[in-house]
Amino acid sequence: MQTASVAAAYDRWAPVYDLVFGGVFSNGRRQAIVAAENIGGLVLEVGVGTGISLPHYSKRTRLVGIDISEAMLEKARRRADQLKLENVEEIAVGDAEALTYPDNAFDVVVAQYVVTAVPNPEKALDEFVRVVRPGGEIVIATRISANGGLRDTIEKALMPITSRLGWRTEFPWSRYEAWAKRNGQVRLLEQRPLPPLGHFSLVRYRKLQG
C-alpha cells in the first residue's frame, strides 16, 4: 500500500461511501464519538472522510478533520456548511503518517476505520500519540484480523485485492500490543468488540503524563 494509491482509492469511493459504509459502521462511529466526548475539548478526527460523523458530535466539541482524499473532503465541507456545524474549525487534506500539527495539540484523536487503511499503521499510531496531550485519549474504531487459523489464511490471501480497494484485511491485535510496548507513551484503557460479526473493535489509549 502506498499513500497515493490509498488517496486514489478513496477518491473513487467518495460518491458512494456513505451509501456503502454508512450503515455498516454507524454503531462504531457512535461509540467512538461517545468515548471522545467523555474527554471533550479539541478533537482531531483522522480520516474524517465525507464528514458523516461530524453532525453527531456535541456542539460543545471543537473539531478538526483531516483525510488523504480531497474528493471525500469536498463532501465533508459541504456537509459542515449545509448543517451549519460551527464547531468544525478545520477540514483539510492530511496524511495520518505525517500530521502537520504540533505536539500535544489535541485533547482527543479519533481514528475511525483508518488504521488498516494507511500504508504504515504503526507510524500513524505514533503520530496520534505525538499530537494528543498527556492525559488525552486516542479513540480507534478498527478491524482486528485473526491471529492464526482459517480466517487468518483467508485475510492474508485477500490482501492484494483489498489493498487496491484502500484497506488491509491483515492486522491482528498482536501488532497493537507490540506497537504500544515499543511506543511506551500509552496505556490501553479498553478494547471491546463492535458489530458486524465481532471483527471490529473500539480501542482506547490514554497518553501517559510526563
Side-chain angles (χ1 to χ4, degrees), residues 5-195:
S5 65
V6 172
Y10 282 93
D11 282 346
R12 293 192 295 270
W13 277 113
V16 297
Y17 185 88
D18 289 1
L19 178 64
V20 175
F21 297 108
V24 173
F25 293 149
S26 60
N27 186 287
R29 279 194 300 272
R30 285 195 301 270
Q31 293 193 45
I33 289 168
V34 169
E37 294 204 316
N38 284 334
I39 303 297
L42 181 59
V43 174
L44 173 64
E45 185 162 317
V46 180
V48 70
T50 64
I52 192 170
S53 64
L54 296 178
H56 302 289
Y57 285 92
S58 162
K59 297 297 189 292
R60 298 186 302 274
T61 302
R62 298 159 55 209
L63 298 169
V64 172
I66 66 164
D67 201 279
I68 200 68
S69 165
E70 181 60 49
M72 300 281 267
L73 291 174
E74 287 176 9
K75 298 189 76 170
R77 294 186 188 105
R78 284 199 300 272
R79 179 175 263 126
D81 288 343
Q82 290 169 358
L83 298 177
K84 297 181 170 55
L85 302 179
E86 297 180 1
N87 57 321
V88 178
E89 298 187 357
E90 181 181 30
I91 295 176
V93 174
D95 183 350
E97 298 178 19
L99 299 175
T100 58
Y101 302 103
D103 297 356
N104 309 322
F106 297 92
D107 297 292
V108 187
V109 173
V110 175
Q112 300 183 57
Y113 310 103
V114 169
V115 172
T116 57
V118 297
N120 302 289
E122 287 85 356
K123 188 173 181 181
L125 290 166
D126 283 342
E127 280 290 271
F128 301 167
V129 176
R130 182 183 66 79
V131 301
V132 77
R133 64 167 173 80
E137 289 192 17
I138 299 161
V139 179
I140 300 168
T142 187
R143 188 178 190 281
I144 304 292
S145 66
N147 226 343
L150 178 60
R151 184 160 73 92
D152 178 62
T153 301
I154 294 171
E155 288 167 341
K156 287 176 178 174
L158 288 173
M159 272 290 291
I161 299 170
T162 60
S163 294
R164 290 195 293 272
L165 295 174
W167 64 85
R168 57 168 43 81
T169 49
E170 186 276 321
F171 200 83
W173 180 247
S174 59
R175 284 185 67 171
Y176 284 97
E177 291 177 319
W179 164 76
K181 183 176 181 179
R182 176 191 57 76
N183 180 275
Q185 298 182 69
V186 295
R187 178 168 66 89
L188 178 67
L189 298 177
E190 181 179 24
Q191 183 213 352
R192 57 182 157 92
L194 295 169

